């Protein structure tokens, strides 16, 4: 059975500038995307109904998707998607209009399902109030900030050196920001499940960055010998996880499991980003620290 081997990379061939430019350019583009989305919509990423409040309707119908949507012409859904494994099933997301209660919105939805000329069968109805959604937003933001802040504090305590610790934190920050920007481009909404995926990314990022930093600062051997050992281990771990996430995303999409599809895509984005940030951004900062910075 063939084994997976990480190809050798001669990092000494590349200057610090050559290694820094790609991850910093990707981070800058991601920040621009998030800023543009915030300016246009008021949020850096699209929010799911767990954070905005709303009603999610699941119906089965032999009619086309456009016909199902036309049945709600008086109050069209905000989003519509079909389930690949169930071609006659549609999921519609509605936001309550100004002054409209969630109960009134549910009454409207049920009435349209029962009285529409389009044949539909109600499979499920899920509602989140706007107040509860706002509370979820607050708790999710606090959770992300606590997780990131706690991670940063542990890194600084662990290495007790500003530049190496900053490199780990900067890499982790970029590992979160770039997937957030890609969520905008791929139309992935922020939900409680995708927040969990972002929290997982913090752990994945810190794991590979600490591995590299620990090998460079605390293991015997030259700088490039330490980097080579860390790269073989870290890249194997990250690539294996990346392949697993890609497979999960494909299978979840085929079976119409939206949450797992979104989680898999976010983790795949983040793991691919982590490879770039760890062995380009973090590595270049560590090399500067070892040879040209305060450690000289």
């Amino acid at each position: 059975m063939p084994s997976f081997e990480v190809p050798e990379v001669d990092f000494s061939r590349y200057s610090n500038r050559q290694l820094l430019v790609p991850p910093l350019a990707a981070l800058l583009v991601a920040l621009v995307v998030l800023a543009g989305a915030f300016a246009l919509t008021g949020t850096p990423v699209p929010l799911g109904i767990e954070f905005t409040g709303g009603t999610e309707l699941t119906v089965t119908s032999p009619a086309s998707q456009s016909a199902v949507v036309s049945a709600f012409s008086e109050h069209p859904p905000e989003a519509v998607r079909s389930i690949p494994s169930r071609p006659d099933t549609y999921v519609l997301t509605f936001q309550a209009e100004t002054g409209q209660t969630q109960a009134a919105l549910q009454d409207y939805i049920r009435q349209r399902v029962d009285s529409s000329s389009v044949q539909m069968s109600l499979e499920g109805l899920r509602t989140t109030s706007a107040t509860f959604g706002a509370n979820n937003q607050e708790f999710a933001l606090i959770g992300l900030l606590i997780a990131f802040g706690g991670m940063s504090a542990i890194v600084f305590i662990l290495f007790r050196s500003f530049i190496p610790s900053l490199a780990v934190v900067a890499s982790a920050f970029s590992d979160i920001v770039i997937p957030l920007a890609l969520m905008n481009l791929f139309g992935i909404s922020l939900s409680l499940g995708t927040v969990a995926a972002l929290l997982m990314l913090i752990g994945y990022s810190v794991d590979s960055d600490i591995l590299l930093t620990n090998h460079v600062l605390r293991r015997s051997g030259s700088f490039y010998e330490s980097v080579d050992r860390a790269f073989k281990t870290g890249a194997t771990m990250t690539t294996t996880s990346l392949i697993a996430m890609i497979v999960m995303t494909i299978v979840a999409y085929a079976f119409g499991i939206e949450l797992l599809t979104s989680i898999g895509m976010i983790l795949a984005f983040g793991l691919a980003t982590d490879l770039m940030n760890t062995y380009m951004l973090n590595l270049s900062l560590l090399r500067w620290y070892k040879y040209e910075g305060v450690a000289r």
Side-chain angles (χ1 to χ4, degrees):
M1 181 177 180
S3 60
F4 173 78
E5 292 186 4
V6 175
E8 293 187 4
V9 179
D10 184 5
F11 291 101
S12 63
R13 294 174 53 193
Y14 306 99
S15 66
N16 285 341
R17 179 176 297 179
Q18 288 174 314
L19 292 176
L20 273 174
V21 168
L24 290 182
L27 177 59
L28 178 61
V29 171
L31 289 172
V32 170
V33 169
L34 294 177
F38 183 80
L40 292 173
T41 65
T43 59
V45 291
L47 300 178
I49 63 172
E50 293 97 334
F51 295 132
T52 62
T55 297
E56 186 176 82
L57 169 70
T58 304
V59 297
T60 57
S61 173
S64 65
Q65 179 173 307
S66 59
V68 172
V69 173
S70 67
F72 301 93
S73 55
E74 296 178 11
H75 185 173
E78 295 286 331
V80 183
R81 63 181 176 86
S82 60
I83 299 178
S85 61
R86 300 170 62 189
D88 293 338
T89 303
Y90 303 95
V91 180
L92 301 86
T93 303
F94 296 84
Q95 299 291 338
E97 296 177 339
T98 303
Q100 183 185 40
T101 63
Q102 291 295 336
L105 176 59
Q106 287 190 45
D107 289 340
Y108 164 77
I109 291 172
R110 293 181 185 277
Q111 179 185 12
R112 295 308 301 161
V113 170
D114 293 336
S115 63
S116 173
S117 58
V118 178
Q119 183 182 349
M120 289 185 289
S121 176
L122 181 62
E123 293 290 317
L125 192 65
R126 181 168 67 98
T127 297
T128 303
S129 71
T131 301
F132 185 69
N135 290 336
N136 282 342
Q137 284 189 52
E138 182 179 349
F139 291 144
L141 179 60
I142 291 174
L144 283 171
L145 290 176
I146 290 175
F148 195 85
M151 175 275 296
S152 302
I154 291 174
V155 168
F156 276 93
I157 292 172
L158 182 63
F159 294 111
R160 300 180 182 180
S161 298
F162 180 74
I163 297 300
S165 301
L166 178 64
V168 175
V169 173
S171 180
F173 175 75
S174 182
D175 287 350
I176 299 299
V177 170
I178 292 176
L180 283 173
L182 290 171
M183 286 173 64
N184 267 294
L185 299 179
F186 284 87
I188 301 174
S189 297
L190 190 68
S191 64
L192 294 177
T194 53
V195 167
L198 294 173
L199 290 171
M200 292 172 65
L201 279 181
I202 295 176
Y204 275 120
S205 173
V206 171
D207 186 44
S208 58
D209 284 306
I210 287 180
L211 175 68
L212 174 63
T213 305
N214 192 60
H215 271 72
V216 169
L217 298 184
R218 297 180 176 176
R219 297 291 180 90
S220 60
S222 68
F223 177 83
Y224 292 107
E225 288 175 345
S226 299
V227 168
D228 184 61
R229 291 196 301 266
F231 179 71
K232 288 180 179 179
T233 303
T236 300
M237 291 166 43
T238 303
T239 304
T240 303
S241 300
L242 176 59
I243 293 172
M245 291 304 106
I246 293 173
V247 172
M248 186 185 82
T249 301
I250 294 172
V251 173
Y253 178 79
F255 285 93
I257 309 174
E258 183 185 17
L259 178 58
L260 285 182
T261 303
S262 299
I263 290 175
M265 290 182 69
I266 292 170
L267 289 175
F269 294 152
L271 289 168
T273 302
D274 183 52
L275 277 174
M276 174 183 68
N277 285 325
T278 300
Y279 301 106
M280 296 180 78
L281 174 62
N282 195 358
L283 188 148
S284 61
L285 291 175
L286 284 173
R287 185 166 61 183
W288 177 85
Y289 173 79
K290 288 281 289 185
Y291 294 114
E292 302 176 35
V294 294
R296 184 174 54 186

